[in-house]
Amino acid sequence: MKNKIEELLSEIETFAAESKEHVEEFRIKILSKKGKVRELFEEFKNVAPELRKEVGQKLNELQNKAEEKVNELKEKFENRDDKKNPTIDLTLPAENIAVGSRHPLSIVRNQIVEIFSRIGFTISDGPEIEDDWHNFTALNTPADHPARDMQDTFYISEDPDIVLRTQTSSVQVHVMENSTPPIRTISPGRVYRNEAISARAHCQFHQVEGLYIDKNVSFADLKQTLLYFSKEMFGEETKIRLRPSFFPFTEISAEMDISCPFCKGKGCNICKGAGWVEILGCGMVDPAVLDNCKIDSKTYSGFAFGMGVERITMLKYQVKDLRLFFENDIRFLKQFKAVI
Ligand code: DAH
């Protein structure tokens, strides 16, 4: 009997549990009505009277030990579940944090900004809700000018003087009104036009405007600046071509094409066989615009250009539908890796 008690005691002392369930199994095996301790109490009935005191004491001790052990283990596992006191395994590998990716339009806008910053252009900014003067009139586009029809305008109130800007050229006016030449600045921003939404047009899109005003600025400066930009943006082998065009705020005006970055000018479905793709409008700032902005057109001259960020992004990444930029579909957005 004494041996059995010793054996069970050492079994209890050496028991190590792996889980709450394991502790419960142990409790049933040792302490329940059919458990081992109970069994020994049953046998106790047969113990000779002279040994009863000693064996009885040992049995009681055994029972106490078993209860202590079960309680101690239960506590250990309950604490582990307790949120306030978690047992953290610091050796586990960390979970990946899902970081978003930069929007393709932001990637390209940042690249444009970076390319022009390298040659000394500052960044300027203007309001999206604009007055008629900054969006049209100062830019040599008075109320009855047919060029206004080129851009379907959103008016935001009954007041025909307040518009959502249709072009970032409006920022040129703010900059010229508030600074003195030399001016070298680019203005990235969102613009709005009342247009039906399709794969190629949207009622909101982004432009980057460029403006350079100083003494003796010539068309050659414009051409060289745009050639530099095109090579940086689309690759060293890129060629440019300027076609005569019309904008009310520039005289002379041009549209610029780059050699198709995909077929290198041979003709493909991106450039529709032409070998060239149009990317921006530009020209020499009309002296009337300089005068409107209180810059002396006899002393200063300048050039300006404006490009569509969506258009350049579509070309760079071969995106065929402009609406994808505004749908926020993560499957589309996560494909773009920020270079800047
Ligand atoms: N503002 C013109 C547009 O939205 C783009 C543009 C053309 C801007 C010629 C210029 C420029 O600064 O010189 O269509």
Side-chain angles (χ1 to χ4, degrees), residues 151 167 169 172 193 207 209 247 249-250 281-283 304-306:
Q151 302 176 1
Q167 51 188 352
S169 305
Q172 280 189 32
R193 288 185 198 177
Q207 292 184 327
E209 187 78 11
F247 299 101
F249 33 85
T250 42
C282 60
F305 55 86

Side-chain angles (χ1 to χ4, degrees), residues 219 241-247 253-257 276-280 282:
F219 197 77
R241 132 179 131 172
L242 290 151
R243 284 178 289 102
S245 184
F246 171 79
F247 299 101
S253 306
E255 273 169 327
M256 189 185 87
D257 301 337
W276 297 93
V277 278
E278 184 202 321
I279 64 159
L280 56 80
C282 60

Side-chain angles (χ1 to χ4, degrees), residues 283-303:
M284 301 307 290
V285 180
D286 193 309
V289 175
L290 295 174
D291 291 336
N292 284 341
C293 302
K294 310 274 178 295
I295 289 180
D296 181 5
S297 60
K298 292 198 183 63
T299 315
Y300 293 104
S301 58
F303 65 70

Side-chain angles (χ1 to χ4, degrees), residues 96-113:
N96 283 339
I97 300 170
V99 279
S101 52
R102 219 189 282 287
H103 194 282
L105 295 178
S106 304
I107 296 175
V108 169
R109 188 221 27 226
N110 290 352
Q111 258 180 298
I112 299 171
V113 166

Side-chain angles (χ1 to χ4, degrees), residues 173-195:
V173 180
H174 287 284
V175 173
M176 287 193 274
E177 283 174 337
N178 294 310
S179 48
T180 46
I183 295 168
R184 232 180 316 175
T185 190
I186 53 165
S187 324
R190 186 177 296 138
V191 299
Y192 303 86
R193 288 185 198 177
N194 190 359
E195 278 194 45

Side-chain angles (χ1 to χ4, degrees), residues 28-41:
I28 292 168
K29 185 169 139 199
I30 308 292
L31 282 170
S32 70
K33 277 191 189 143
K34 287 183 183 157
K36 288 189 176 180
V37 173
R38 205 46 33 228
E39 247 172 47
L40 290 178
F41 271 104

